[in-house]
Amino acid sequence: MNKLQQLKQRSQVVADSGDIEAIRHYCPQDATTNPSLLYKAAQLPQYRDLVEQSLIWAQKFGDEQIPQAAIKLAVAIGSEILQLIPGVVSTEVDARLSFDIRNSVDYARRLITLYQQTGISRQRVLIKLAATWEGISAASILEQEGIRCNLTLLFSQCQAIACAEAGVTLISPFVGRILDWHKTQSNCDTYTAETDPGVQSVRAIYTYYKSRSYPTIVMGASFRNQGEIEALAGCDRLTISPQLLEKLQADQAPLEGGLNDAITPQARPANKLEEAEFRLHLNNNAMASEKLAEGIRNFIHDQQRLEQFLEKFQRAN
């Protein structure tokens, strides 16, 4: 077996892509999208019909038709992806709402309603929110309504703890972006898979969850190289780009290493993490606070680029 096949025996493999052809080729269990991936996908010829249909559908919203078309397009692409995979697709709440609980909840409900109108059950969709205090709070409300959530842009233990205590279905702790930050700060480019700070962060979160029997799923994300993926083999889920899926598929060597299954049980904390404590921990973690803020800015930028593309497409047609 190649390494991708071996990996699938130890972790659920999720395609980090909005490219339907890539998903068709690699046959992942689940798929995840974000504004960056949707912006790229919207420009591909095979999505032209979905772009046109989304814009036509949104005409009834007047001045709000472009933002509404972007929501509809995200659901349309997600719906296409769900025809190819047995599991779930993650669809993201507008990052401009990362600090707005009420509107994040409303946006998520809107996404679920649109999916259900296309005949897709809410059980096949994960709502992605940034792991800010507000995003986690919104997820707590949604989970109680049976709307399952995926908390993204997660870089620290305090974010992971707050998500578990909120009853979040799944978290996406980032690996590569943590490595990027440490490379810049240390001016060091010689990290191995074992010394990679992103890998170490996900291992610590995974151990914390499993030792305390939290049901929240850990899905490692944002990989920079194949070594990071192999070092996290055995993690609940791993979301991987088509480029790295291709490398794993071409590699016929044995898949060795990965997460340790021998985890000592521990008691859960007596008290939940409060907002002030969460904010202090996050503030004191320069890497996590900087990468969270940067990630939100980048997702906002790509959401705006997607809307600009839709507006330009509308004028041209």
Side-chain angles (χ1 to χ4, degrees), residues 27 36 41 129 144 160 162 201 214 228:
C27 303
S36 307
L129 299 128
Q144 292 175 46
S201 176
Y214 283 113
E228 290 177 328

Side-chain angles (χ1 to χ4, degrees), residues 248-267:
L248 288 163
Q249 191 175 64
D251 192 337
Q252 298 293 325
L255 177 60
E256 299 174 345
L259 296 179
N260 184 0
D261 292 332
I263 297 176
T264 304
Q266 297 183 41

Side-chain angles (χ1 to χ4, degrees), residues 21-214:
E21 292 309 313
I23 292 168
R24 194 192 311 275
H25 179 73
Y26 294 109
C27 303
Q29 173 72 21
D30 302 327
T32 182
T33 64
N34 61 42
S36 307
L37 296 173
L38 290 175
Y39 172 66
K40 293 175 184 176
Q43 299 172 77
L44 298 175
Q46 59 263 40
Y47 291 109
R48 182 182 177 87
D49 287 347
L50 295 183
V51 171
E52 290 179 342
Q53 292 165 16
S54 298
L55 285 165
I56 292 170
W57 173 87
Q59 286 176 355
K60 57 190 174 184
F61 292 98
D63 292 342
E64 287 296 308
Q65 62 183 291
I66 296 301
Q68 291 297 323
I71 296 175
K72 181 66 172 177
L73 180 63
V75 171
I77 291 176
S79 300
E80 291 290 317
I81 290 171
L82 284 170
Q83 306 306 312
L84 302 174
I85 61 175
V88 301
V89 68
S90 291
T91 302
E92 193 143 346
V93 166
D94 190 329
R96 289 170 290 198
L97 302 176
S98 295
F99 304 99
D100 186 332
I101 298 173
R102 183 178 64 83
N103 283 316
S104 288
V105 170
D106 289 345
Y107 195 103
R109 290 170 178 159
R110 178 73 168 146
L111 287 171
I112 291 297
T113 296
L114 289 173
Y115 270 112
Q116 290 176 327
Q117 288 174 354
T118 65
I120 291 170
S121 164
R122 65 176 57 191
Q123 295 304 311
R124 297 203 67 198
V125 181
L126 290 177
I127 297 297
K128 285 180 78 175
L129 299 128
T132 58
W133 179 262
E134 293 80 5
I136 297 168
S137 299
S140 179
I141 295 169
L142 293 165
E143 292 281 357
Q144 292 175 46
E145 297 179 3
I147 297 174
R148 300 190 299 163
C149 298
N150 169 357
L151 271 290
T152 187
L153 295 177
L154 196 146
F155 302 96
S156 69
Q157 193 88 351
C158 72
Q159 290 173 291
I161 292 170
C163 288
E165 292 177 343
V168 167
T169 295
L170 180 148
I171 62 168
S172 299
F174 280 24
V175 179
R177 297 193 196 187
I178 294 177
L179 176 63
D180 295 343
W181 189 90
H182 282 276
K183 280 184 174 181
T184 300
Q185 295 297 313
S186 66
N187 198 28
C188 172
D189 198 32
T190 58
Y191 291 99
T192 66
E194 291 302 313
T195 63
D196 186 310
V199 170
Q200 292 175 346
S201 176
V202 176
R203 284 181 173 177
I205 291 168
Y206 180 86
T207 300
Y208 185 91
Y209 276 16
K210 302 310 174 186
S211 66
R212 293 160 179 82
S213 300
Y214 283 113

